[in-house]
Amino acid sequence: KRQMNDFRKIWLPLADRFYRVAYHLLESRDDAEDAVQELYQKIFSIQGKLVYVRDPAAYGITLLKNICIDKIRRRESRRAEQLEEFMAVDASGPEKQMAEKDALARVMKEMGRLPERQAKVLKMRAVEGLEYDEIARRTGLSQVNIRVLISMARKTLKKRIVR
């Protein structure tokens, strides 16, 4: 019972801080929540050994960083496997054509979910092949602003598509 009270008093108030660290590392709300939950399971399972921990926040963040690193490694491993599967498709066969068609359809669908200005400038640049100065002329935006919007759009698409 004393251990449970210590857990509530010491570890539970750190949940927001732990979540922010996990979110910063994983860039995903769901993954961050999972990492924090995994951290609390680990802490709860080794409670008796935590008596000697002087700085619970630092100790918890260290454990959490390790959990996040493991999650990132697993995610990257899955992406590498998916890429290998995609590359293994016969270069000229109908499977590759279907895979490319599906990938393009997914990209176009996700582009439709982007904020309007991001989608507009990305389409002008990637689909229509316009130069930055022409996009600036057509939209009235600065070239710097256009580059930022395109960068943000690409980053968002990459996150959504590569998962």
Side-chain angles (χ1 to χ4, degrees):
K1 187 160 180 141
R2 182 180 175 275
Q3 285 181 340
M4 188 59 144
N5 285 336
D6 287 347
F7 184 81
R8 284 190 185 124
K9 286 180 192 173
I10 296 170
W11 297 100
L12 289 183
L14 298 170
D16 287 339
R17 183 187 287 178
F18 291 152
Y19 173 80
R20 287 191 305 273
V21 169
Y23 184 82
H24 176 74
L25 294 170
L26 299 171
E27 298 177 336
S28 163
R29 196 172 104 199
D30 292 338
D31 288 345
E33 289 171 356
D34 289 347
V36 172
Q37 183 175 3
E38 194 174 324
L39 170 69
Y40 276 118
Q41 287 172 341
K42 182 173 249 171
I43 290 171
F44 193 77
S45 70
I46 60 171
Q47 274 186 59
K49 299 174 185 171
L50 299 175
V51 178
Y52 303 106
V53 173
R54 291 182 190 203
D55 187 350
Y59 182 77
I61 288 172
T62 300
L63 289 176
L64 182 62
K65 283 182 180 179
N66 290 331
I67 290 168
C68 291
I69 289 168
D70 289 344
K71 284 187 167 300
I72 291 168
R73 285 182 181 149
R74 285 192 300 268
R75 183 189 308 160
E76 293 303 319
S77 176
R78 277 195 310 273
R79 286 181 182 163
E81 288 172 8
Q82 289 172 346
L83 183 60
E84 285 176 23
E85 286 175 20
F86 181 75
M87 298 304 282
V89 174
D90 181 27
S92 61
E95 294 90 5
K96 183 169 193 302
Q97 290 175 347
M98 274 300 268
E100 288 174 351
K101 200 174 192 180
D102 289 345
L104 181 60
R106 187 158 182 213
V107 168
M108 296 307 286
K109 178 183 171 196
E110 292 300 330
M111 276 180 68
R113 293 180 51 210
L114 290 172
E116 185 179 343
R117 288 187 350 174
Q118 287 181 17
K120 183 178 181 179
V121 296
L122 183 62
K123 181 178 180 239
M124 293 172 110
R125 178 73 179 150
V127 179
E128 297 173 24
L130 299 178
E131 297 296 326
Y132 290 103
D133 59 342
E134 178 63 20
I135 298 170
R137 192 183 65 69
R138 289 187 183 187
T139 62
L141 300 170
S142 72
Q143 287 190 32
V144 172
N145 195 357
I146 291 167
R147 289 179 193 277
V148 169
L149 288 170
I150 289 173
S151 175
M152 290 168 49
R154 286 178 175 159
K155 185 176 181 182
T156 301
L157 286 176
K158 186 176 179 182
K159 277 185 190 175
R160 291 179 182 171
I161 292 171
V162 181
R163 282 189 177 175

